Amino acid sequence: MKIKYSFLLFLCCSWYSMICAQKHKIFGDTLSIYNYSELENKFYNFKGSNKINESKLIAQYYLEKAKKAKKQNYIAEGYVLMHYNRTLSMSLKYIDSLEFIKRNSQEDSYPTRIYLLKGRLYYDSDNEKLALNNFINALKYAKKNKNKRHIAIAEIYLAYLNNYIGKHAEAVKVLQYYYDNGDFLDDNEHEHIRLNLANTLLDINKLQPSLKLIHEGLNSTSKRGEIDRYNQYLSLFGLYNLKSKNYQIAIDNLNKSKNYFSTQPNDLNLNYALLYLGQSYSGLQETEKAIDCFTKIDFHIQKTNNIFPELKEVYPYLIDYYKEKNNKEKQLYYIDRFLTVYKELDSKFRYISRELPRRYDAPKLLQEKENIIREIENKKTISYMFIGFLLLSLSLLILLYYRSKKAEKRHKKIAHDLLQSIANNHSENKVENSENITSGDNLKDRTNRVIAEDVAETILKELNLFETKEHFLKKGITLTTLAKRIKTNSNYLSEIINTHKEKNFNVYLNDLRIDYAISRLAKDKKFRSYKIPFIAEELGYNNEQAFTLAFKKRTGTPLSIYLKEIEKVETTFQKKETNP
């Protein structure tokens, strides 16, 4: 019987494969009547609908046709078509092929288009860091080539990234601008903006403007048969009703979008549908159904690792639920999951650490985890050793707390003294900013006899110009490059700096930059409002970490405390002015 059924199954599969192959052949034969432009139009019409297989066949036919004709431009476009609806690794291979063909292209769309395509791929695969790098490069080349459309696309995707990390107001400005003024964008791009603008408006609780866009999106995608986008709008309509506390309407719509997304490869859309659905059930006090939705989200993100900021609302709900049920094993499991997600979120979305609920911050969760583990291991008795351990831990925590407070107080005093020295303009209190050129006999005494006096004096004059003209802010300065600039050799320059500045070159350069930063941050409010990575770049550092480490080493206080002290002083000053 098993052999008989296996044979029948084999026949059925063979028959189905033959029918599919025949169908594809017929479809492929019909494509021969279309030119390249018509094939592209057909592809993009199918790409956003439920005809993904047909779109893949069109892309394959297009590329084969271009290769047979040996037309480089169309081969390149064929690689673009082929990269859609593939795995990330396969899509990147097609983009690499495109890049190889267009590496010497003089068209104003390259290499911008390469960066845009790669950026979108990384963005869709939840790799925001690589997405950001590619979009920034795309914007740079788009502006260089004055390509209006590519500038818009790069700025729109950067707005999506801003929205992703919580900067909703900034994202709305860009999206609204291009939604109102993007006549040069195609229908697909315009629809993408509308979808994200509607979502972002919901994030900042502008419900009515968002509802208008959602209704427009539902109508347009329904007419064009764009099932995927239609269901994304349906999820947003569910979110709108959730925020409006129309929970049952939200549930009805979200169940439809959830059922659709459960058949699609994009787990992020499914997770958001489940999130809004769970929150809607929670609004109706249907806790068990909400827990079911949140449990499914946890299951999905373990498969894909596509984490998102709203998970901060999912795990606390699960932890509280199982805590109330006195299910220690489940509670412990979801604490572990939350700690894992928290760690990734903290590295990926630094801002989120400020927004996490205090009762679920990392130290408390770690302590609670430890308590539960011990409770499970020893339910009958609480040993004196355990109590002693807790007391020791508590003592250690108290000691660490007081030490941290003491260090914080010391850092604040250092920061205050720095500001005071700037305010009073006491040259003796300033950190070494520059040194006067040593003159006469003193120059003879302090300079190595190998270096002629006039050479030493010239080098010191050049160093003085280097400092006063703030050339030390330029990136990539080394002992060798500075020596070339002032027309001397690196040995002489090193000797002069060591002797007259009493420090080596690297310390000398860092001190100049940090002293400049101390003064400018205190005096320039606009400069102070910039992001730390931008400030670091302005000061000539390659990255934020190098700058903050140099600042702490030079001043003895962390940059964050110095900035807070500046704000504190300014606030006090403003109050005095308001209330004389």
Side-chain angles (χ1 to χ4, degrees):
M1 287 295 288
K2 286 184 179 179
I3 294 172
K4 180 179 178 182
Y5 285 126
S6 298
F7 182 68
L8 285 172
L9 181 63
F10 172 75
L11 285 177
C12 289
C13 290
S14 300
W15 174 79
Y16 179 75
S17 299
M18 185 174 65
I19 294 296
C20 288
Q22 186 66 20
K23 181 181 176 182
H24 288 173
K25 184 178 185 304
I26 292 168
F27 184 75
D29 290 342
T30 62
L31 297 177
S32 59
I33 64 173
Y34 300 109
N35 61 32
Y36 290 107
S37 179
E38 291 168 337
L39 286 170
E40 287 177 34
N41 289 334
K42 286 184 73 66
F43 172 85
Y44 286 111
N45 286 335
F46 283 169
K47 184 179 73 70
S49 67
N50 60 342
K51 297 181 178 180
I52 291 176
N53 289 332
E54 285 87 342
S55 71
K56 286 183 177 180
L57 283 172
I58 293 171
Q60 188 174 346
Y61 177 82
Y62 185 105
L63 183 59
E64 289 173 357
K65 179 179 179 178
K67 283 183 175 180
K68 285 178 183 177
K70 297 181 179 179
K71 296 187 175 181
Q72 290 291 87
N73 281 343
Y74 291 122
I75 292 173
E77 200 60 40
Y79 287 129
V80 174
L81 302 185
M82 288 292 289
H83 99 282
Y84 287 107
N85 303 315
R86 312 279 175 176
T87 62
L88 176 63
S89 58
M90 185 59 70
S91 294
L92 288 171
K93 285 180 181 178
Y94 284 121
I95 298 302
D96 287 341
S97 298
L98 169 65
E99 190 172 8
F100 179 78
I101 288 177
K102 291 292 185 179
R103 65 188 184 278
N104 297 319
S105 175
Q106 298 303 311
E107 298 173 50
D108 70 354
S109 57
Y110 290 94
T112 313
R113 196 179 185 195
I114 304 290
Y115 287 118
L116 287 175
L117 291 170
K118 283 188 175 181
R120 183 188 60 79
L121 285 173
Y122 287 122
Y123 177 80
D124 291 342
S125 63
D126 199 34
N127 190 331
E128 283 72 32
K129 183 177 180 181
L130 288 178
L132 179 63
N133 291 339
N134 278 281
F135 289 137
I136 286 175
N137 282 329
L139 186 59
K140 180 180 73 173
Y141 284 105
K143 286 182 175 179
K144 181 181 177 181
N145 295 325
K146 298 179 181 179
N147 189 313
K148 186 178 179 182
R149 181 172 171 275
H150 282 164
I151 290 171
I153 294 171
E155 288 186 340
I156 287 164
Y157 268 101
L158 288 169
Y160 296 161
L161 285 170
N162 262 332
N163 190 42
Y164 191 66
I165 61 169
K167 296 181 180 178
H168 307 305
E170 293 179 28
V172 164
K173 289 179 185 177
V174 176
L175 296 178
Q176 190 70 61
Y177 174 80
Y178 283 114
Y179 185 72
D180 296 334
N181 303 284
D183 297 338
F184 50 88
L185 299 171
D186 62 35
D187 291 341
N188 178 58
E189 291 157 350
H190 197 261
E191 194 67 72
H192 205 260
I193 297 172
R194 174 160 52 195
L195 179 66
N196 282 273
L197 179 57
N199 191 2
T200 311
L201 287 169
L202 285 174
D203 287 330
I204 57 176
N205 291 314
K206 291 192 175 182
L207 303 187
Q208 289 309 310
S210 178
L211 182 61
K212 181 176 181 292
L213 294 173
I214 290 168
H215 282 317
E216 289 173 359
L218 286 169
N219 289 332
S220 65
T221 53
S222 177
K223 287 177 184 176
R224 291 199 294 266
E226 295 182 17
I227 299 175
D228 196 76
R229 276 213 184 116
Y230 177 84
N231 280 278
Q232 289 181 58
Y233 277 115
L234 209 56
S235 278
L236 291 184
F237 188 50
L239 177 58
Y240 164 81
N241 282 291
L242 167 61
K243 285 179 173 282
S244 303
K245 298 186 178 180
N246 300 322
Y247 299 121
Q248 192 55 55
I249 298 174
I251 288 168
D252 293 341
N253 287 285
L254 288 165
N255 267 320
K256 292 175 185 176
S257 62
K258 181 204 74 173
N259 291 338
Y260 168 77
F261 288 130
S262 63
T263 65
Q264 302 302 307
N266 192 329
D267 276 318
L268 196 56
N269 285 332
L270 175 59
N271 284 339
Y272 273 110
L274 285 167
L275 171 68
Y276 305 147
L277 192 58
Q279 290 172 333
S280 300
Y281 281 128
S282 178
L284 291 177
Q285 305 300 315
E286 296 184 28
T287 307
E288 299 296 332
K289 290 183 178 179
I291 288 294
D292 180 58
C293 291
F294 294 154
T295 303
K296 287 176 180 174
I297 291 173
D298 176 63
F299 174 76
H300 292 148
I301 65 170
Q302 285 192 72
K303 290 194 303 180
T304 61
N305 200 34
N306 282 344
I307 62 172
F308 49 98
E310 289 83 357
L311 287 172
K312 65 179 181 179
E313 301 167 25
V314 172
Y315 287 105
Y317 193 94
L318 290 165
I319 294 167
D320 281 346
Y321 173 80
Y322 287 110
K323 188 174 185 178
E324 190 177 323
K325 293 288 183 182
N326 201 29
N327 187 331
K328 302 296 182 182
E329 286 81 5
K330 286 282 188 181
Q331 190 185 352
L332 178 61
Y333 169 77
Y334 285 114
I335 287 176
D336 273 331
R337 290 291 304 131
F338 191 28
L339 288 170
T340 301
V341 168
Y342 172 82
K343 185 178 178 182
E344 291 190 47
L345 283 173
D346 189 51
S347 63
K348 209 171 185 185
F349 318 100
R350 294 188 63 185
Y351 82 99
I352 211 152
S353 62
R354 301 190 299 269
E355 298 180 4
L356 282 172
R358 289 187 180 183
R359 61 194 182 97
Y360 290 114
D361 60 1
K364 183 172 179 181
L365 282 175
L366 285 168
Q367 188 64 49
E368 194 168 349
K369 172 186 173 181
E370 207 167 82
N371 292 342
I372 292 170
I373 290 172
R374 292 186 180 281
E375 187 178 342
I376 292 171
E377 289 175 346
N378 190 3
K379 292 181 180 179
K380 293 181 181 179
T381 59
I382 301 174
S383 66
Y384 288 111
M385 186 181 292
F386 180 62
I387 295 171
F389 174 78
L390 285 177
L391 289 173
L392 183 62
S393 298
L394 182 61
S395 301
L396 183 60
L397 285 172
I398 292 170
L399 179 63
L400 290 173
Y401 173 78
Y402 280 111
R403 281 188 177 179
S404 67
K405 284 293 179 184
K406 189 176 179 182
E408 185 181 353
K409 188 176 180 181
R410 186 175 70 255
H411 291 149
K412 282 183 178 179
K413 185 179 185 309
I414 293 170
H416 183 78
D417 290 346
L418 284 171
L419 289 171
Q420 193 66 43
S421 69
I422 292 169
N424 295 336
N425 200 23
H426 289 162
S427 59
E428 64 271 20
N429 291 334
K430 288 182 182 179
V431 196
E432 298 170 9
N433 207 17
S434 63
E435 296 184 16
N436 294 325
I437 300 173
T438 309
S439 61
D441 297 333
N442 192 30
L443 183 63
K444 274 184 186 177
D445 295 339
R446 298 181 64 190
T447 305
N448 191 309
R449 292 180 180 179
V450 175
I451 305 175
E453 182 183 338
D454 59 334
V455 173
E457 188 172 353
T458 301
I459 293 172
L460 283 168
K461 284 180 181 178
E462 290 294 334
L463 284 176
N464 191 50
L465 286 173
F466 175 71
E467 294 170 15
T468 55
K469 292 186 177 182
E470 298 172 352
H471 289 164
F472 52 82
L473 298 177
K474 294 181 180 179
K475 257 190 175 183
I477 296 172
T478 64
L479 182 67
T480 304
T481 59
L482 182 56
K484 286 181 180 178
R485 180 182 294 175
I486 65 177
K487 297 178 181 178
T488 186
N489 66 60
S490 56
N491 290 332
Y492 282 8
L493 179 59
S494 177
E495 176 68 25
I496 292 296
I497 291 173
N498 283 326
T499 304
H500 293 273
K501 306 298 180 179
E502 297 180 351
K503 58 189 79 172
N504 65 37
F505 174 76
N506 289 332
V507 174
Y508 167 67
L509 183 62
N510 264 321
D511 287 355
L512 287 173
R513 288 172 173 175
I514 298 304
D515 294 344
Y516 174 86
I518 291 168
S519 177
R520 188 171 174 189
L521 285 169
K523 297 175 182 177
D524 189 342
K525 189 172 183 179
K526 184 178 179 182
F527 183 68
R528 195 164 64 247
S529 69
Y530 295 154
K531 302 291 180 188
I532 301 300
F534 180 81
I535 294 174
E537 189 173 355
E538 282 281 294
L539 297 172
Y541 289 98
N542 291 324
N543 55 63
E544 175 184 353
Q545 187 180 21
F547 168 47
T548 53
L549 286 173
F551 189 94
K552 174 73 182 294
K553 185 176 180 181
R554 174 66 169 156
T555 64
T557 187
L559 176 64
S560 58
I561 289 181
Y562 181 65
L563 291 173
K564 284 179 184 176
E565 197 65 25
I566 293 171
E567 295 301 325
K568 182 179 173 183
V569 169
E570 283 204 350
T571 304
T572 305
F573 179 74
Q574 287 170 2
K575 283 182 180 178
K576 285 181 180 178
E577 282 195 333
T578 307
N579 304 303

